[in-house]
Amino acid sequence: MTNKVGIIGWPVAHSISPAMHNAAFAALGMNDWHYDAVPIPPDIVRQGLKTLKGEGGYVGVNVTIPHKQAVMPYVHPDERARAVGAVNTIDFRDDSGTNTDVPGFVGDLEAHGVALAGTRVIVLGAGGAARAAVYGLAQAGAQVVVVNRTRNRAQEMLANLALSAGINSAEVMTLDEAAEWGAGLIVNCTSVGMWPHVEESPWLTGISFPKGATVYDMVYRPEKTALLQEAEANGGRAIGGLGMLVRQGAKSFELWTGRAAPVDVMFAAARDALQER
Ligand code: NAP
């Protein structure tokens, strides 16, 4: 019998997660496991989950746009998922839901040797990815400032995080204020710079770029975004977001299978799959 896992989203055909997980199963000789992409329209997400768990016999699923918030009432979200307000991994064996974007992000920073405790961090963006980032950074002891095109949205995000996770230390700034704050790390959680708009950067022209700051760009296509190029031109380190994607997948893999994920294999498969796009 095959142990089925997969990813639900709408659309989801572009996902590189199947390539990444199936490469991991192959590398570990887990021939009785398979991962596929399951498109589910937004209006039938509840029924979709029921079918996958029931007749489908799925062990669990990853959840991507636009379902990460919508699935919350139908699972038991853990503390992290509740704090972030989004579930990206479901285990149907106990209907638990968690969010592996947070450990994927923090784990990738750690793997790159980026210190977080006491570090001043600018988070660009106020969507779902930014909320996961602010939560993970605050838990790791970083000082966080959020900059977002729509300032109200940043304020709302921090108010939500204060309520759901007791995070009160983060504040909202404008980009020019943040530029002078002495940040050691800048995290791009906006979609700006994503292929095909590769010449765009969330760091606006005319605002001086913090010298020597490390930049982590959650955008992973292209691998070296315009923002990452700016970081390097200003003497800083540049880290792309593919590692986060791989590490969140690795956490889900471990949860479902109970086996250590072959992160290097998953990384190579993810990079190959991206190049084929
Ligand atoms: P989202 O909820 O739609 O939020 C998008 C964010 O980008 C908002 O803050 C939005 O600002 C900002 N934005 C969009 N277009 C902009 C523009 N032209 N100028 C300035 N700001 C702009 O999306 P999300 O789920 O948080 O994802 C954000 C990015 O992170 C995506 O590129 C996604 O692929 C990436 N991501 C990567 C990983 C990974 O594993 N590497 C994981 C999660 C997400 P407003 O509030 O003003 O609209």
Side-chain angles (χ1 to χ4, degrees), residues 105-107 109-110 113-121 136-137 140-143 185:
F105 167 62
V106 175
L109 285 168
E110 279 167 1
V114 178
L116 295 178
T119 300
R120 292 185 172 200
V121 187
L137 290 165
Q143 295 179 55
L185 173 66

Side-chain angles (χ1 to χ4, degrees), residues 37-219:
V38 185
I40 297 185
D43 50 339
I44 59 156
V45 73
R46 183 184 186 185
Q47 183 57 41
L49 290 177
K50 225 170 140 187
T51 307
L52 289 173
K53 177 181 169 160
E55 303 96 278
Y58 278 68
V59 173
V61 284
N62 281 133
V63 183
T64 190
I65 295 167
H67 300 321
K68 284 187 184 187
Q69 287 83 30
V71 299
M72 298 234 346
Y74 312 126
V75 298
H76 308 300
D78 66 4
E79 195 184 324
R80 194 197 298 140
R82 285 199 307 273
V84 174
V87 160
N88 82 330
T89 307
I90 295 174
D91 188 332
F92 286 130
R93 291 168 296 197
D94 58 2
D95 288 328
S96 59
T98 188
N99 186 304
T100 65
D101 280 339
V102 177
F105 167 62
V106 175
D108 201 40
L109 285 168
E110 279 167 1
H112 283 90
V114 178
L116 295 178
T119 300
R120 292 185 172 200
V121 187
I122 301 171
V123 169
L124 303 173
R131 187 159 161 177
V134 174
Y135 175 76
L137 290 165
Q139 295 282 90
Q143 295 179 55
V144 181
V145 148
V146 179
V147 175
N148 193 47
R149 174 179 64 177
T150 314
R151 190 184 170 95
N152 281 353
R153 204 173 167 205
Q155 279 161 337
E156 268 169 38
M157 176 183 78
L158 292 188
N160 280 334
L161 275 167
L163 276 178
S164 64
I167 292 167
N168 295 304
S169 54
E171 54 179 307
V172 177
M173 283 188 192
T174 58
L175 187 60
D176 55 341
E177 286 166 350
E180 303 192 342
W181 180 55
L185 173 66
I186 299 165
V187 183
N188 179 33
C189 306
T190 76
S191 46
V192 183
M194 193 160 69
W195 189 89
H197 305 290
V198 297
E199 74 297 340
E200 292 177 8
S201 166
W203 199 271
L204 302 177
T205 316
I207 296 186
S208 65
F209 200 92
K211 299 276 175 250
T214 296
V215 172
Y216 191 94
D217 200 334
M218 286 199 184
V219 172

Side-chain angles (χ1 to χ4, degrees), residues 15-21 23-24 35 62 88-89 100-109 111-112 216-220 223 240-256 260-274:
S15 171
I16 59 175
S17 291
M20 194 164 80
H21 283 270
Y35 187 110
N62 281 133
N88 82 330
T89 307
T100 65
D101 280 339
V102 177
F105 167 62
V106 175
D108 201 40
L109 285 168
H112 283 90
Y216 191 94
D217 200 334
M218 286 199 184
V219 172
Y220 50 80
E223 234 175 304
L242 192 57
M244 172 179 174
L245 182 82
V246 171
R247 289 178 199 282
Q248 63 76 29
K251 291 282 175 204
S252 304
F253 180 99
E254 289 172 355
L255 192 104
W256 296 321
V263 174
D264 292 347
V265 169
M266 294 174 84
F267 201 95
R271 188 174 268 156
D272 286 352
L274 270 182

